[in-house]
Amino acid sequence: MTRNLKPERRPSGPNRKDRPGVDLQSGADSNEKTLDVIKNLESRISRIEFHLGIHQEAAQDNPFSPISSEAAEETDDALEAQVGENWFAKVGIVVLSLGVMFLLTFPYQKLPSYAPSAIGYILVGIILALSRYWKDSFPQVSRYLLGGGLLLLYFTTLRLSHFGPAPALTNTPIELTLLLSVVALNLSISISQRSPYLVGLNLALGFLTALAGGPPLFVFSAILAMSIVATVLVIRYQWNWILVLGIVLSTTTHFLWSISNPLFGNPVQQVLSPEANLLFVLLYVVAFGVGTLLQSIANKEDAISVTNSVFNGFGSYVLLMFLTLTSFKSSFAAWHLAASGTYLVFATLFWIRAQSKLSTFVYAMLGYVALSVAIVDTFAPPNVFVWLCWQSILVISTAVWFRSRFIVVANFIIYLIVLAAYLSLAGAVGTISISFGIVALVSARILNWRKDRLELKTEMMRNAYLACALFVLPYALYHVVPNSYVSISWLGLALFYYISSRLLNNNRKYRWMALLTTLLTVLYVFAVELVGLNPTIRITSFLLLGIALLTVSMIYSRKRRSK
């Protein structure tokens, strides 16, 4: 009996419509519906973004989004308007002002001496009237015309006594009074316009007035007055860059006076009187220092206040150095000592009132430099090195109080420079050299005593001072003490280090200094004193050194057993 077995036929591919669970028509409809929903959502999101203005910001933030031709055209139009409306207006006013100035300075031979100034006043009136008339219709041109008109008003007044073959006004006090009145009027208009640029321009005219021909006291008083005005304006309106401008203009104006004011045609030469001008240099420092201090208190020592401190400090000290070197050498040290006191007072104020680190550093370092310069001028070598060396104690003490690691590092570098200068210039090394070792030990103790006030995270600076003492003191004793007693003096120094270690709670650094000094003594005894001394001194040295070595060994043995 046989069976008729027929193989079961199965679907041969995925496209069989009779495949169970697959409906191709319904799947296509579902995909179309999904696409419609997504498009609908995109359309709604686009309308929401358009309503909120988000689409414009997104297009700007996306660097890969294409820039439409309309946006590019708008950008070109804005640039064209900026050039045509603003830049051309500025350049036009400058050109117009220069043209009027050249017109006023032209030598009019057949006209009365007052005619150029009269013409200038008429032109100023026309320019100011146009500025007021165009205030609403052409605001950019109106503002620039106002600045040009104020500048021409000052220049026209100055033309009364300058730039002509026969001045119309020969009375200097009256001319200076008119110029100061114009500056005051221009400043009041500039302040009412809340324009720091006009204020800066007219401050420059005020400093120029100081050089217009008055006596020295008027020159210094005018510079000081303009410095105070600049400080008040910065405090009142927060036009911070005005202070930098005032510092530069005050220093430049005083310098031009000191070389006989070549700006108004005088030959360059030194001015030898009055010496009181040095006092005014320090008064400028005070005026601008107060303004910078108030800036630092208000803005927590921003870049502008630090810049003002740098310009005020370095500019004034360079000017003071120039004046004292060229014209007032007889009182060189006294003025630098006064400058040192001024700078250190401001360093203290910046630290107490503003907790300023950089401005404090600037004024403190200038104070120390001025003090060093006064010391160098007062004392002759080698005594000058003693004073410079002990000045390091003052510097390191104030540096700890100011919490300034910058001053600590700078002071150590200066200490090394002074030490090198002493060793190279003093000739024979004497008892002065001991001062360098003592100063190094005292400086290290000060750093360790108040190390919590500093931001030094390591013992590097203290170790550096101790290393200097470790080498300087034996070197100094070698030159100061008679040859027969060098080893004995070094043993005494090692004993001093060991006692210091005990007094300072078993300070490890001083114990190492004692050990190293003792080893140095051993080397010296065997290398020099073994054959170079008379028998009595040699026996004494060997006995003392042997006792010292045995004592040190016993101390360390007891310490090890106690542990």
Side-chain angles (χ1 to χ4, degrees):
M1 181 179 184
T2 61
R3 291 185 180 181
N4 185 12
L5 297 177
K6 295 181 180 180
E8 182 181 356
R9 300 184 66 183
R10 298 181 179 178
S12 60
N15 295 326
R16 292 291 301 253
K17 294 183 179 181
D18 56 349
R19 185 175 179 179
V22 177
D23 190 349
L24 296 180
Q25 185 65 36
S26 61
D29 294 341
S30 176
N31 291 336
E32 292 180 359
K33 291 180 180 180
T34 303
L35 290 175
D36 292 339
V37 171
I38 292 174
K39 292 180 181 179
N40 190 20
L41 288 174
E42 287 181 349
S43 176
R44 292 184 179 182
I45 292 173
S46 298
R47 288 196 296 270
I48 294 173
E49 289 179 345
F50 179 81
H51 179 71
L52 297 177
I54 299 176
H55 67 292
Q56 298 176 356
E57 298 176 0
Q60 293 174 358
D61 294 338
N62 185 5
F64 300 103
S65 60
I67 300 176
S68 64
S69 59
E70 295 180 357
E73 185 176 353
E74 290 178 359
T75 303
D76 293 339
D77 291 342
L79 178 60
E80 181 182 353
Q82 180 73 14
V83 173
E85 183 179 1
N86 296 333
W87 295 1
F88 278 19
K90 293 179 182 179
V91 176
I93 294 301
V94 171
V95 173
L96 179 62
S97 300
L98 290 175
V100 174
M101 289 181 184
F102 292 146
L103 176 65
L104 295 178
T105 56
F106 190 79
Y108 298 95
Q109 300 292 341
K110 298 182 180 181
L111 294 178
S113 58
Y114 60 84
S117 294
I119 296 173
Y121 285 124
I122 294 173
L123 293 176
V124 168
I126 295 173
I127 291 173
L128 294 180
L130 289 175
S131 172
R132 185 176 181 82
Y133 180 74
W134 287 333
K135 182 178 181 180
D136 296 326
S137 55
F138 303 104
Q140 294 286 350
V141 176
S142 174
R143 288 196 295 269
Y144 299 144
L145 281 175
L146 176 61
L150 297 180
L151 177 62
L152 290 177
L153 176 61
Y154 177 88
F155 189 80
T156 301
T157 306
L158 186 65
R159 179 63 175 79
L160 291 171
S161 57
H162 293 83
F163 311 117
L169 185 61
T170 58
N171 191 313
T172 301
I174 295 178
E175 170 67 9
L176 295 177
T177 302
L178 288 176
L179 289 175
L180 289 177
S181 300
V182 171
V183 170
L185 175 64
N186 289 358
L187 281 175
S188 63
I189 294 175
S190 303
I191 294 171
S192 66
Q193 295 290 321
R194 293 295 189 272
S195 174
Y197 304 104
L198 285 180
V199 168
L201 172 64
N202 288 286
L203 274 177
L205 298 180
F207 284 104
L208 181 63
T209 305
L211 298 174
L217 185 59
F218 170 80
V219 175
F220 311 143
S221 300
I223 297 174
L224 181 60
M226 289 297 102
S227 302
I228 295 173
V229 169
T231 301
V232 171
L233 290 175
V234 169
I235 297 172
R236 181 75 163 73
Y237 298 103
Q238 300 300 313
W239 296 330
N240 294 327
W241 65 271
I242 292 292
L243 206 60
V244 180
L245 178 66
I247 293 170
V248 173
L249 289 176
S250 66
T251 305
T252 305
T253 305
H254 199 107
F255 171 74
L256 290 173
W257 170 86
S258 69
I259 56 175
S260 191
N261 190 13
L263 192 64
F264 281 83
N266 299 323
V268 176
Q269 59 185 3
Q270 295 180 10
V271 177
L272 302 178
S273 64
E275 189 174 345
N277 79 92
L278 297 171
L279 174 63
F280 280 88
V281 174
L282 298 181
L283 291 178
Y284 309 152
V285 175
V286 173
F288 292 119
V290 170
T292 308
L293 177 62
L294 295 177
Q295 269 186 328
S296 297
I297 294 174
N299 301 324
K300 301 300 181 183
E301 194 183 47
D302 57 357
I304 295 179
S305 62
V306 175
T307 302
N308 290 338
S309 296
V310 172
F311 275 75
N312 187 31
F314 282 94
S316 60
Y317 191 64
V318 170
L319 178 61
L320 185 75
M321 179 68 77
F322 170 78
L323 293 173
T324 51
L325 282 176
T326 56
S327 304
F328 307 99
K329 294 181 180 179
S330 60
S331 53
F332 184 92
W335 286 111
H336 283 269
L337 190 62
S340 174
T342 304
Y343 294 133
L344 290 177
V345 165
F346 271 103
T348 304
L349 291 175
F350 270 92
W351 177 248
I352 294 176
R353 298 298 305 276
Q355 292 294 302
S356 169
K357 294 181 180 179
L358 297 178
S359 294
T360 299
F361 170 75
V362 170
Y363 283 108
M365 291 306 300
L366 285 172
Y368 302 142
V369 170
L371 179 58
S372 300
V373 171
I375 291 173
V376 171
D377 183 71
T378 304
F379 300 96
N383 293 330
V384 64
F385 296 108
V386 178
W387 288 98
L388 291 176
C389 176
W390 284 99
Q391 180 197 355
S392 177
I393 300 296
L394 171 65
V395 176
I396 202 75
S397 302
T398 53
V400 171
W401 185 47
F402 292 146
R403 299 184 180 182
S404 176
R405 64 177 180 269
F406 304 110
I407 299 178
V408 172
V409 175
N411 181 65
F412 179 71
I413 295 174
I414 294 173
Y415 168 83
L416 293 179
I417 293 174
V418 174
L419 175 59
Y422 168 73
L423 295 177
S424 60
L425 301 177
V429 177
T431 55
I432 294 174
S433 57
I434 299 177
S435 297
F436 286 94
I438 297 174
V439 166
L441 292 175
V442 174
S443 300
R445 288 313 308 158
I446 293 174
L447 289 176
N448 183 74
W449 176 45
R450 301 296 297 188
K451 62 183 179 182
D452 57 310
R453 294 185 61 88
L454 292 172
E455 296 181 356
L456 298 173
K457 304 303 182 182
T458 68
E459 297 289 325
M460 181 182 63
M461 294 308 304
R462 190 156 66 99
N463 292 339
Y465 276 111
L466 292 176
C468 290
L470 180 64
F471 290 100
V472 168
L473 286 175
Y475 181 77
L477 292 174
Y478 173 78
H479 287 278
V480 173
V481 176
N483 294 335
S484 303
Y485 301 98
V486 171
S487 60
I488 297 175
S489 65
W490 287 3
L491 284 176
L493 181 60
L495 179 62
F496 167 76
Y497 288 148
Y498 181 75
I499 293 174
S500 299
S501 172
R502 301 284 293 182
L503 294 176
L504 299 173
N505 299 321
N506 290 321
N507 190 293
R508 181 182 299 239
K509 291 181 174 59
Y510 284 91
R511 290 203 307 269
W512 270 107
M513 293 176 71
L515 289 174
L516 293 175
T517 305
T518 304
L519 291 175
L520 182 64
T521 306
V522 172
L523 294 175
Y524 182 80
V525 167
F526 280 96
V528 178
E529 294 186 352
L530 185 61
V531 294
L533 298 179
N534 64 60
T536 303
I537 301 298
R538 186 189 310 138
I539 292 171
T540 303
S541 298
F542 272 77
L543 289 176
L544 290 176
L545 180 59
I547 293 171
L549 292 173
L550 290 174
T551 303
V552 171
S553 177
M554 293 169 64
I555 291 173
Y556 275 91
S557 296
R558 171 181 286 184
K559 184 177 180 181
R560 182 177 58 81
R561 288 198 303 268
S562 64
K563 287 185 178 182

